[in-house]
Amino acid sequence: MVVVSGQFEDRGTPDDAMSSSDAEDELIEPATPTPSSATFSLQGKLPPLQLPEVIPISVGGMCFTTRLSTLQRYEDTMLAAMFSGRHHIPTDAEGRYFIDRDGTYFGDILNFLRCGELPHQNRVKMVYKEAQYYSIGPLLDLLDKMQPLTGEKVRQAFLDLMPYYKDHLERIIEIGKLRAMQRKARFAKLKVCVFKEEMPITPYECPQFNALRFERSESESKHFEHHCDVDVSFGPWEAVADVYDLLHCIVSDLSDRGITVEHQCIGVCDKHLVNHYYCKRPIYEFKITWW
């Protein structure tokens, strides 16, 4: 109200004005906002993603289709977390959920999640790597007990007896590459000594029965310490596995690196040590073909 010439003039209440009763109600019963995208945005969160029951997936361009429950079969996996609805998942042009990884072995992953099916032996190594990437513990545990992974553990236990093994393998590669480049040749040859134990070096010495090393006193042993005239030397070691087993490991590991190797025994060191003693460690010629 306002006073005009001593009279009160009532101009009414503005439409947007709040009455006292309304204000009281506002104070007593505040409105509770309902969750919305705007609310989640203000809180720094996104609303849970509503995923369909059937999930189309593209893994590196290879297409797969599976149920949501299959991907969520094991909670502590990358796939279960990815398709939990808590994370944004990119899609390709066709609307498929996209995983930026080679999809060659993803079918093996899905088959395990669907019904526990394990891959064929020749796919075990690669499926194991995929199971590591997707953090599928139950699959990793089962694959660990399959060949060739079990055999690889046994082989590695043998190679652990030679802590220098990997360094020597690299040395073979480096020497072979340098030698071929210097000579502008297609192949390179190296001399490699591979010996399991110190063999008797004269006809008069015989090792103890079932002994892996020939026994001498410490003072005597110093007379026989030497390095054979070779590029790389492996040994000695104490195990049932013999020289040919180690040669197989060397050739296999080089082959896994894409390096073709041939080897043959070309004799023994035959280095004179002291008096009538000579080294009888076997020497092998390695031929690396580069192209």
Side-chain angles (χ1 to χ4, degrees), residues 9-252:
E9 179 180 355
D10 189 357
R11 294 187 178 179
T13 302
D15 294 339
D16 59 349
M18 182 181 293
S19 67
S20 60
S21 61
D22 291 340
E24 185 177 0
D25 291 340
E26 183 72 17
L27 290 172
I28 296 173
E29 297 180 0
T32 302
T34 57
S36 64
S37 297
T39 304
F40 280 102
S41 179
L42 289 173
Q43 295 176 352
K45 299 179 181 179
L46 292 175
L49 183 66
Q50 298 298 317
L51 295 169
E53 180 60 29
V54 177
I55 304 291
I57 306 175
S58 172
V59 185
M62 295 183 67
C63 298
F64 302 88
T65 304
T66 189
R67 293 174 65 91
L68 178 61
S69 58
T70 298
L71 298 171
Q72 297 176 341
R73 183 178 181 88
Y74 298 102
E75 292 182 0
D76 299 330
T77 66
M78 175 182 166
L79 291 173
M82 181 183 297
F83 290 93
S84 64
R86 302 190 304 268
H87 307 283
H88 169 71
I89 311 172
T91 56
D92 63 12
E94 297 179 356
R96 292 180 173 273
Y97 296 108
F98 182 74
I99 299 176
D100 190 12
R101 190 166 178 83
D102 186 358
T104 303
Y105 300 95
F106 191 72
D108 297 275
I109 297 295
L110 285 182
N111 287 339
F112 174 77
L113 294 176
R114 286 167 177 153
C115 57
E117 180 181 332
L118 295 174
H120 190 272
Q121 181 176 327
N122 60 5
R123 299 173 68 88
V124 166
K125 278 189 176 182
M126 296 308 298
V127 175
Y128 188 87
K129 290 183 179 179
E130 296 304 298
Q132 286 180 314
Y133 177 78
Y134 294 111
S135 301
I136 306 176
L139 178 55
L140 290 171
D141 291 341
L142 291 171
L143 293 179
D144 261 332
K145 300 173 184 177
M146 295 179 61
Q147 284 284 59
L149 295 182
T150 300
E152 180 59 27
K153 287 184 177 181
V154 175
R155 188 183 85 109
Q156 193 56 52
F158 163 54
L159 294 179
D160 286 344
L161 296 174
M162 291 160 280
Y164 53 80
Y165 176 78
K166 290 184 178 179
D167 291 338
H168 283 19
L169 211 63
E170 292 297 329
R171 181 170 173 78
I172 289 175
I173 296 172
E174 287 302 316
I175 293 175
K177 180 174 67 175
L178 181 62
R179 211 160 272 177
M181 292 178 67
Q182 288 176 339
R183 300 174 182 177
K184 308 297 186 293
R186 188 166 66 92
F187 60 85
K189 293 181 179 180
L190 298 82
K191 287 184 178 180
V192 179
C193 178
V194 181
F195 65 103
K196 176 180 177 179
E197 55 187 329
E198 294 290 8
M199 298 298 292
I201 53 181
T202 74
Y204 306 102
E205 294 182 312
C206 294
Q208 296 178 358
F209 183 70
N210 284 337
L212 292 175
R213 292 176 182 264
F214 186 77
E215 299 296 334
R216 296 192 185 93
S217 67
E218 184 176 351
S219 59
E220 289 176 328
S221 296
K222 290 181 179 179
H223 292 292
F224 302 97
E225 290 178 358
H226 77 289
H227 297 284
C228 300
D229 186 18
V230 294
D231 297 298
V232 183
S233 183
F234 294 87
W237 65 87
E238 294 186 9
V240 174
D242 60 20
V243 168
Y244 297 103
D245 295 321
L246 182 58
L247 286 170
H248 181 271
C249 290
I250 296 171
V251 173
S252 296

Side-chain angles (χ1 to χ4, degrees), residues 269-288:
C269 173
D270 215 25
K271 182 177 181 179
H272 179 252
L273 302 178
V274 59
N275 297 331
H276 53 279
Y277 291 93
Y278 294 82
C279 174
K280 296 301 179 182
R281 296 172 182 171
I283 306 299
Y284 295 84
E285 181 183 75
F286 275 48
K287 179 181 177 182
I288 300 178

